[in-house]
Amino acid sequence: MDAFEMPTEMRCIEISEPGGPEVLTEARRAVPVPGHGEILIEVAYAGVNRPDALQRAGAYKAPLGASDLPGLECSGRVAALGPGVTGWSVGDQVCALLPGGGYAEFATCPAEHALPVPVGVDLKSAACLPETCFTVWSNVVMRGGLKAGERFLVHGGSSGIGTTAIQIAKALGARVFTTAGSPEKCAACEELGATAINYKTGDFVDVLRAEGGANLVLDMVGGSYIARNIKAMADDARMVFIAFLESPKAEINFAQVMLRRLTITGSTLRPQSDAAKAEIARQLLGQVWPMVSAGKLRVIHDSTFPLAEAAAAHARMESSQHIGKIVMEVKGG
Ligand SMILES: NC(=O)c1ccc[n+]([C@@H]2O[C@H](COP(=O)([O-])OP(=O)(O)OC[C@H]3O[C@@H](n4cnc5c(N)ncnc54)[C@H](OP(=O)(O)O)[C@@H]3O)[C@@H](O)[C@H]2O)c1
């Protein structure tokens, strides 16, 4: 489509009210107009992430000024440039971290939060890269300081985040340990190079302690895992929280944190400043995109749904049966 053929309306998926997957409703809206420093993307594929399900349920509000439509990442082509944008041209293939609004035929984002589609990657896989790569790189490397030779423990290894974290950590030269909830999920994690522990039959604390302890833990579970993570950590280790699927609350003996010089931190990506996200994007382009093009980091695809079946995509995610990423085909989907 050329700029002069730009439609004024688009198909999208709205959250009609907080609730289950059935509240995701197909609607028509005006095509958004890119503001200063923003690009408009004609969306080909939109990645589905657990935070989308939290937003749908009313537990994760869109930040001020962001689209109320769900969708934190997409791939496609640049359809228009807002004032002041340099470095992109109409027609360029991109994948982008979005402040929201990815479940739609068109979405806007700051130009600096978009990245070129890595060499050798198709648009379907490219749509699955931004949210997990931004989250994993910023928490595992920028915040967690993972180094070659360290022992890295990531929970939920078969998740979108987990499969990305395993591969990035391996590519950096770390030894990777992970937990997952079934033999099939463990096998998928082992294939990516991790030592996988089925948490229903094994104890990650025993495995990590036998190896000398984890130097870095990436946790999305919380609750009962917090005290166990501390037991599994080596002296001077770091623990980074990115979610609390079980609970954000726990009773902890903080003497261990003091005596063993542990660091406990965490972050969420969405509320961070545009400048902070742009810095993560720059580091991804320099350090992670070459891993992708070299085949060291690949998207593990679970399933693909047409945009009209967003509810089914969310139901699949919340079944927790998936391994890797769920994606929606938007153009023609
Ligand atoms: N902080 C951030 O900026 C940020 C950004 C993106 C995502 N996240 C978070 O990171 C996590 C992974 O995201 P994702 O998109 O990769 O989601 P996902 O694929 O659905 O991953 C969640 C996985 O966690 C495991 N799990 C462990 N304990 C669980 C529990 N109590 N309830 C449900 N699942 C549990 C499940 O696998 P098992 O069968 O092995 O249990 C499930 O596959 C989510 O919690 C998400 O909210 C945080």
Side-chain angles (χ1 to χ4, degrees):
M1 184 194 315
D2 294 315
F4 56 83
E5 288 177 356
M6 185 75 71
T8 53
E9 273 206 344
M10 64 177 190
R11 288 166 55 231
C12 64
I13 299 292
E14 288 179 342
I15 300 169
S16 57
E17 58 180 327
E22 70 285 352
V23 305
L24 295 174
T25 313
E26 198 167 344
R28 293 193 73 79
R29 288 231 185 146
V31 170
V33 176
H36 192 272
E38 291 186 336
I39 56 171
L40 177 72
I41 301 171
E42 186 186 8
V43 178
Y45 291 89
V48 177
N49 294 283
R50 186 68 70 145
D52 305 347
L54 295 176
Q55 181 180 344
R56 189 210 68 223
Y60 193 43
K61 265 194 170 169
L64 214 65
S67 167
D68 64 318
L69 301 176
L72 299 173
E73 62 182 351
C74 74
S75 66
R77 56 163 221 134
V78 176
L81 307 177
V85 171
T86 55
W88 291 112
S89 302
V90 170
D92 286 349
Q93 290 205 328
V94 284
C95 54
L97 183 77
L98 305 173
Y103 291 15
E105 289 177 314
F106 290 89
T108 56
C109 72
E112 290 182 312
H113 300 176
L115 288 152
V117 172
V119 175
V121 171
D122 61 21
L123 282 172
K124 181 164 136 178
S125 291
C128 300
L129 289 170
E131 176 68 13
T132 58
C133 286
F134 275 74
T135 302
V136 168
W137 188 260
S138 60
N139 286 292
V140 170
V141 177
M142 297 169 74
R143 194 166 294 276
L146 185 67
K147 292 178 232 23
E150 287 195 318
R151 291 175 295 274
F152 171 55
L153 170 64
V154 53
H155 293 299
S158 64
S159 65
I161 292 283
T163 52
T164 304
I166 291 169
Q167 295 179 83
I168 288 181
K170 286 293 291 182
L172 292 171
R175 284 185 63 202
V176 184
F177 299 83
T178 195
T179 57
S182 71
E184 297 72 32
K185 288 182 172 186
C186 285
C189 297
E190 297 260 354
E191 214 169 286
L192 297 175
T195 298
I197 303 138
N198 183 339
Y199 65 80
K200 291 180 180 158
T201 55
D203 185 351
F204 69 84
V205 178
D206 292 344
V207 175
L208 267 298
R209 282 175 81 120
E211 296 288 341
N215 305 108
L216 177 66
V217 180
L218 183 68
D219 188 29
M220 58 181 79
V221 181
S224 61
Y225 272 37
I226 301 176
R228 295 173 67 207
N229 286 338
I230 289 174
K231 280 191 186 157
M233 288 160 81
D235 289 356
D236 298 294
R238 296 86 67 199
M239 168 156 60
V240 183
F241 289 110
I242 55 164
F244 297 99
L245 283 165
E246 184 183 308
S247 170
K249 295 187 180 169
E251 193 172 310
I252 301 298
N253 178 354
F254 279 99
Q256 288 299 311
V257 175
M258 175 181 70
L259 294 170
R260 291 162 50 215
R261 300 172 302 281
L262 308 179
T263 301
I264 300 179
T265 180
S267 77
T268 53
L269 183 61
R270 206 174 181 189
Q272 291 187 47
S273 69
D274 283 351
K277 292 176 190 171
E279 175 54 26
I280 301 168
R282 273 190 288 279
Q283 295 199 19
L284 290 180
L285 188 60
Q287 303 193 57
V288 175
W289 261 219
M291 291 177 190
V292 179
S293 295
K296 292 181 179 169
L297 170 57
R298 61 193 168 87
V299 174
I300 308 303
H301 284 288
D302 176 76
S303 45
T304 309
F305 293 83
L307 181 67
E309 291 176 23
H314 274 216
R316 171 84 186 153
M317 168 148 283
E318 289 180 313
S319 76
S320 276
Q321 286 174 350
H322 63 289
I323 295 178
K325 290 286 298 195
I326 300 167
V327 67
M328 291 192 296
E329 188 174 1
V330 177
K331 206 174 167 183

